[in-house]
Amino acid sequence: MPMTYSQHASSLTKEYPADGVCRILALDGGGAKGFYTLGVLKEIEAMLGCPLYKRFDLVFGTSTGAIIASLIALGYEVDQIHALYKAHVPRVMACTSASTRTAALQSLAKEIFKDTTFEDVMTGIGIVATRWMTERPMIFKGSVAQAHGRKGTFEPGFGVSMADAVQASCSAYPFFERKVVVTAAGDKIELIDGGYCANNPTLFAIADATVALNKERKNIRVVNVGVGIYPEPKPGFLMRIAKKWLAVQLLQKTLEINTQSLDQLRDILFKDIATIRISDTFERPEMATDLMEHNLDKLNILRQRGSESFAEREAQLREFLT
């Protein structure tokens, strides 16, 4: 499998015997606030003593969650993903136009994922994007076992590179340009951010587990990690003049409503499936931020808050996962 990080001796060597339990990791979208997600995941990984792909049978992600989920499925450890986020995410979010932001995101995706495809993943994966023309989800998967139909023509990731699929999932229009991908069948499909259809991808992951993989509900464990909820930052003068602040607010509110709605629906439809959701609310004024944050000091604080959110649920997570 192609890798893009420096190899190093890892202490994450623990192995777990098969126990018939299907463990799902579902990661919300939220732009730069994915640093919070990484704070949670670092603690989970350390608790497990092994890379996350070895313990989770399905790893689903939307937008920033898609980047993290893809790297987990390729075998990356959380410290390596965090290093990539520190190096690249502030640079992308600091861009001032959709075209420059899109170019930076494409460069980031190509640099990180290179030529990897959905055939390279080490566990079940689901990357959520949204079809622009038909307004329906497009979920990139690696295994035919996850298909809900048309198994005879299944292609891992529809034949799309992982770099292109992840970029599509992160293309929060209109702050990023729409992404056109070409499938193995030669179809050109225009995609936007997966957050417009499922900013919280948990329901899609549970559908794969219960319907495609035919797992019994009592044997499913779900860990759903969000990006936290924060006060809105005060806009600067130029942002007010350009009305950019209002647009960012609207996008953020749309994604948050989507996230909460899907979690409520999950709780109604799959109340009997054991689920832990981690996405705390922070109300102190100094925690004000949004998905376009590019101050690395602020992003590091989000990562710390994620670590603290883990601590509040550590006992329950240990029972779930070990």
Side-chain angles (χ1 to χ4, degrees):
M1 181 191 71
M3 289 294 200
T4 60
Y5 58 81
S6 300
Q7 299 292 340
H8 72 292
S10 174
S11 60
L12 302 174
T13 58
K14 188 166 184 177
E15 298 288 341
Y16 291 88
D19 58 6
V21 175
C22 177
R23 294 178 175 84
I24 295 170
L25 179 63
L27 306 177
D28 291 5
K33 294 182 295 180
F35 276 80
Y36 173 90
T37 308
L38 293 174
V40 176
L41 295 180
K42 172 62 179 176
E43 299 293 341
I44 293 177
E45 183 186 68
M47 180 186 71
L48 290 172
C50 68
L52 295 175
Y53 78 90
K54 289 189 174 183
R55 197 54 175 158
F56 287 98
D57 303 281
L58 293 173
V59 183
F60 270 59
T62 299
S63 197
T64 195
I67 301 175
I68 299 170
S70 297
L71 292 171
I72 288 171
L74 288 172
Y76 282 66
E77 296 172 12
V78 177
D79 277 347
Q80 293 158 342
I81 302 173
H82 182 218
L84 291 169
Y85 261 59
K86 287 192 295 183
H88 296 286
V89 170
R91 175 170 58 85
V92 173
M93 294 306 181
C95 294
T96 56
S97 69
S99 59
T100 56
R101 213 173 283 121
T102 300
L105 177 61
Q106 181 171 326
S107 175
L108 161 64
K110 294 294 184 184
E111 183 174 340
I112 292 178
F113 293 102
K114 297 193 183 313
D115 297 323
T116 53
T117 72
F118 284 84
E119 295 182 84
D120 295 316
V121 297
M122 297 176 166
T123 191
I125 190 172
I127 299 303
V128 182
T130 305
R131 296 174 185 256
W132 173 254
M133 293 299 294
T134 60
E135 297 144 1
R136 295 172 62 87
M138 183 171 184
I139 306 176
F140 298 87
K141 304 177 183 182
S143 171
V144 67
Q146 293 173 247
H148 292 265
R150 295 184 290 180
K151 291 179 180 284
T153 57
F154 178 86
E155 290 279 351
F158 302 99
V160 174
S161 71
M162 189 160 281
D164 283 350
V166 169
Q167 184 187 345
S169 183
C170 295
S171 294
Y173 184 79
F175 294 96
F176 292 84
E177 295 172 348
R178 301 189 290 269
K179 174 67 177 177
V180 176
V181 301
V182 181
T183 69
D187 298 325
K188 290 183 178 180
I189 302 175
E190 196 171 19
L191 298 172
I192 59 172
D193 198 294
Y196 285 105
C197 63
N199 200 54
N200 177 345
T202 303
L203 278 179
F204 286 135
I206 291 176
D208 275 17
T210 56
V211 179
L213 302 179
N214 200 30
K215 301 292 183 180
E216 293 187 37
R217 294 188 181 198
K218 66 180 181 180
N219 293 329
I220 299 173
R221 303 287 182 273
V222 180
V223 178
N224 173 210
V225 185
V227 296
I229 300 172
Y230 310 90
E232 294 175 353
K234 293 181 179 179
F237 175 75
L238 291 178
M239 286 189 71
R240 287 198 301 268
I241 295 297
K243 298 184 179 179
K244 179 181 176 183
W245 179 60
L246 182 59
V248 172
Q249 280 187 308
L250 180 59
L251 174 60
Q252 180 115 341
K253 184 62 70 174
T254 298
L255 298 181
E256 288 176 358
I257 291 171
N258 180 292
T259 297
Q260 299 301 332
S261 297
L262 288 175
D263 190 54
Q264 184 177 32
L265 187 59
R266 188 266 321 153
D267 190 48
I268 293 171
L269 295 177
F270 298 105
K271 198 174 189 67
D272 55 330
I273 292 182
T275 301
I276 299 174
R277 175 159 173 81
I278 307 173
S279 189
D280 289 334
T281 299
F282 302 94
E283 298 178 344
R284 295 172 64 92
E286 61 267 28
M287 291 301 298
T289 192
D290 59 31
L291 75 168
M292 307 297 287
E293 182 66 65
H294 53 271
N295 182 317
L296 198 52
D297 289 337
K298 175 63 71 67
L299 295 173
N300 187 54
I301 292 173
L302 300 193
R303 181 189 59 79
Q304 294 175 49
R305 296 295 88 81
S307 177
E308 294 165 5
S309 293
F310 162 88
E312 296 175 7
R313 302 163 178 84
E314 183 170 2
Q316 189 182 6
L317 285 163
R318 189 176 299 278
E319 180 183 353
F320 255 47
L321 300 176
T322 65

